[in-house]
Amino acid sequence: MALFYKSNNAGVPIGWIAIMLALLASMGGFIFGYDTGQISDILLMEDFKLRFATCETPGVVASCDFTVVREGLIVALLSIGTLAGALIGAPTADYLGRKYAMIVECMVFIVGVIIQMTARHVWQQFAVGRLVSGLGVGALSAAVPMYQAETAPSQIRGSLTATYQLFITFDCISIGARDIPGAGSWQTVVGIGIVWPVIMIVGMMFMPESPRWLAKHDRIEEAAAAIAATRGIRKDEAMSHPVVSKEIEQIRNHVQYESKMKGGWLDCFSLKDKILYRTLLGMSLQSLQQLTGANYFFYYGASIFQSVGIEDSFITQIILGAVNFFCTFGGIYVMERFGRRRPLIIGGIWQACWLFVFAAAGTAVDPEQNDSIGKLMIVAACMFILGYAMTWAPGIWILIGETFPTRTRAKQGALSTASNWTWNFLLAFFTPFIVSAIQFRYGFVFAACNLLGAVVVYFFLYESSDLTLETVDQMYCDPECKPWNSRHWAPAGYESRHNLVEQTKAAEAHKPIVGGEESRREDVEKSGDEGRTERC
């Protein structure tokens, strides 16, 4: 059964499988968001402090506290694990396939959770458990956007890939467990983390493999069946259906071209076809996503909210998390409706403005002594998160899935994601030291990084919305196409991007092609012709 994506009066068939695979794969984001979102609360739970903190008076929680090093290792070892996991995830996804790689990575995460739950009085065991869980999370962060981008129909690829970020934001569960007596408080919070990978494992068993990975391994009929599933087309009609045959031919031609080229780690730094350009771009965008300053608020927002009398960190988490979660829905719409470049540029400027307000207010007047300044800073923080959730949060994960060519996509995605986790660790570990030295002026640093992000997007990022992954690769290879005019780029045989989108939708909906030109009809139906496969 097919759903229909409506745009400009052209219906495009989208199968319910496409929606389900996005939701299930995005459980990987839920796993990460949950694990990072709960640790700050776990560190405050009385039984956890009695077991793992340093206590001056045994059994008296008021005398227990974590050293900076111990707390930093418990929190940051997850990021170290995610960094290693992202790099390991690339060869795993290439060898096992995207689908089964994610299943294995979920199992690794579950092992890490079990290690944490069975810790009794040795904090190092709990920290190692987070390291192991991080391996699974990091590998998933590389595999999930790639799987979604390779499997989802191009018309809704942005929306479906953005659900990964949406699930990252949904993490406020520990508030219901903090009053459970004894070890049950923190063990319940940690143990619930097993639910998400179990759901993902079971669900993914019924989802199709990436058609591009299947085609790369000469499993063309299975690739056609996978495309048919996401389009709501019967399996027995896959090879003969015009929508499937057009897309599979394009994928097959692209795979044949790339089969003549290498796809190892060193090839991620090749100058040919702008591979190095795209590797550095992906790493830069993922780094800049961390340098927006979002995690400064998510990890250390409690001290800001204390300035207006909100001292309960659980409430702080809910306020910031709620803004992030609900605004991400808007981000899914924005990235699908307005493309990739414009939202990221506007978002970078918007975020920089509110960070400047935040930093200037906190530097001019002590917010603990002035309620009005404290409230202004909270408003600035929420407005910053609003912009971040609607642009840079979902947008970067979308781009990581659709910017790279098939032969090196897994490895380039891994390098980009590893950059994200590297900065995640650095910011999480060093922010307390930086804040103690420059206090709220730290916001000026993040404001500058957001402006830098907007500049990088304008001068280096190509507009990839509405294009198939193979056509995105062709666009980056076109010497006549520049980032600032890429919004209007279209492959040979089409007048404009709008013309390409309209003709593709008309063909997929089995409607007459506007214009009636036979040559245009052939361009739509034959994705493997010379114009569509022309390379640099």
Side-chain angles (χ1 to χ4, degrees), residues 256-521:
Q256 288 176 352
Y257 169 80
E258 292 195 332
S259 66
K260 303 173 185 177
M261 308 174 70
K262 296 180 180 179
W265 286 102
L266 290 179
D267 296 290
C268 296
F269 303 96
S270 170
L271 295 176
K272 184 177 177 60
D273 292 354
K274 284 194 174 180
I275 300 298
L276 175 60
Y277 178 102
R278 286 184 268 179
T279 298
L280 296 178
L281 177 62
M283 295 176 68
S284 298
L285 291 175
Q286 282 281 30
S287 299
L288 287 166
Q289 188 196 52
Q290 284 293 323
L291 289 169
T292 57
N295 281 338
Y296 167 59
F297 292 103
F298 296 138
Y299 291 163
Y300 302 101
S303 61
I304 302 171
F305 279 72
Q306 286 177 353
S307 65
V308 292
I310 301 178
E311 300 183 3
D312 190 334
S313 66
F314 292 91
I315 301 300
T316 301
Q317 178 182 335
I318 290 175
I319 294 173
L320 294 175
V323 174
N324 193 25
F325 177 73
F326 289 108
C327 288
T328 301
F329 283 103
I332 293 174
Y333 170 78
V334 166
M335 300 306 297
E336 195 66 63
R337 175 65 178 82
F338 299 103
R340 319 298 189 238
R341 283 173 50 84
R342 286 182 181 178
L344 291 178
I345 293 171
I346 295 172
I349 296 172
W350 170 277
Q351 291 154 205
C353 290
W354 286 106
L355 281 168
F356 183 84
V357 171
F358 169 85
T363 302
V365 180
D366 184 354
E368 294 187 2
Q369 304 299 321
N370 189 308
D371 287 348
S372 297
I373 291 296
K375 291 176 181 177
L376 174 61
M377 293 177 69
I378 291 174
V379 170
C382 290
M383 295 302 287
F384 162 82
I385 293 171
L386 181 149
Y388 173 77
M390 296 184 70
T391 57
W392 278 78
I396 301 306
W397 291 111
I398 294 172
L399 289 167
I400 293 306
E402 64 187 21
T403 301
F404 310 123
T406 302
R407 67 183 180 277
T408 52
R409 181 173 295 124
K411 296 177 178 63
Q412 287 176 289
L415 289 171
S416 300
T417 307
S419 300
N420 186 299
W421 298 128
T422 299
W423 282 102
N424 184 295
F425 168 75
L426 292 174
L427 290 172
F429 191 81
F430 289 107
T431 287
F433 301 99
I434 297 173
V435 169
S436 66
I438 63 175
Q439 297 184 339
F440 294 115
R441 287 188 292 274
Y442 199 18
F444 292 127
V445 176
F446 290 127
C449 290
N450 278 274
L451 291 177
L452 174 62
V455 171
V456 169
V457 169
Y458 180 81
F459 284 105
F460 299 102
L461 179 67
Y462 287 69
E463 181 56 70
S464 52
S465 61
D466 295 318
L467 299 176
T468 65
L469 298 184
E470 290 70 32
T471 313
V472 170
D473 189 36
Q474 185 181 344
M475 174 179 62
Y476 272 93
C477 289
D478 187 345
E480 300 299 321
C481 181
K482 305 300 180 185
W484 45 89
N485 63 23
S486 60
R487 181 180 180 83
H488 305 289
W489 179 91
Y494 299 92
E495 296 177 355
S496 64
R497 180 75 61 90
H498 177 75
N499 179 251
L500 166 65
V501 172
E502 288 303 304
Q503 292 198 42
T504 301
K505 289 177 179 177
E508 292 183 341
H510 304 287
K511 294 182 178 180
I513 298 175
V514 177
E517 298 179 33
E518 187 64 25
S519 60
R520 295 290 173 80
R521 184 179 299 278

Side-chain angles (χ1 to χ4, degrees), residues 83-298:
L83 171 59
L87 296 175
I88 295 171
T92 303
D94 279 341
Y95 180 73
L96 296 177
R98 312 329 189 195
K99 170 181 172 178
Y100 289 104
M102 289 188 289
I103 291 174
V104 170
E105 290 151 9
C106 285
M107 294 178 179
V108 172
F109 178 83
I110 291 173
V111 170
V113 170
I114 293 173
I115 294 173
Q116 293 175 67
M117 290 183 65
T118 55
R120 290 293 178 264
H121 299 284
V122 181
W123 70 269
Q124 291 91 337
Q125 178 180 338
F126 190 88
V128 168
R130 283 180 58 78
L131 176 67
V132 174
S133 292
L135 290 172
V137 169
L140 283 169
S141 70
V144 169
M146 180 169 54
Y147 172 75
Q148 291 175 319
E150 290 184 349
T151 309
S154 60
Q155 293 82 7
I156 58 171
R157 185 177 61 232
S159 295
L160 299 190
T161 307
T163 57
Y164 178 76
Q165 173 63 28
L166 174 66
F167 276 54
I168 288 177
T169 67
F170 192 70
D171 59 14
C172 299
I173 293 179
S174 60
I175 190 170
R178 57 177 170 169
D179 294 327
I180 297 176
S185 56
W186 59 272
Q187 286 180 334
T188 298
V189 176
V190 173
I192 288 175
I194 294 178
V195 173
W196 324 128
V198 168
I199 293 174
M200 188 171 175
I201 289 172
V202 174
M204 288 305 300
M205 294 297 293
F206 300 95
M207 293 295 107
E209 178 57 88
S210 160
R212 287 164 176 84
W213 184 86
L214 291 169
K216 184 179 179 181
H217 290 77
D218 296 322
R219 296 158 64 176
I220 300 300
E221 290 188 4
E222 293 178 61
I227 294 172
T230 62
R231 291 293 191 181
I233 298 168
R234 289 170 50 184
K235 185 177 180 180
D236 57 357
E237 298 178 354
M239 294 302 293
S240 60
H241 197 283
V243 173
V244 178
S245 60
K246 180 176 75 71
E247 190 166 349
I248 201 67
E249 183 65 22
Q250 185 179 28
I251 292 173
R252 179 158 47 188
N253 289 339
H254 198 75
V255 167
Q256 288 176 352
Y257 169 80
E258 292 195 332
S259 66
K260 303 173 185 177
M261 308 174 70
K262 296 180 180 179
W265 286 102
L266 290 179
D267 296 290
C268 296
F269 303 96
S270 170
L271 295 176
K272 184 177 177 60
D273 292 354
K274 284 194 174 180
I275 300 298
L276 175 60
Y277 178 102
R278 286 184 268 179
T279 298
L280 296 178
L281 177 62
M283 295 176 68
S284 298
L285 291 175
Q286 282 281 30
S287 299
L288 287 166
Q289 188 196 52
Q290 284 293 323
L291 289 169
T292 57
N295 281 338
Y296 167 59
F297 292 103
F298 296 138

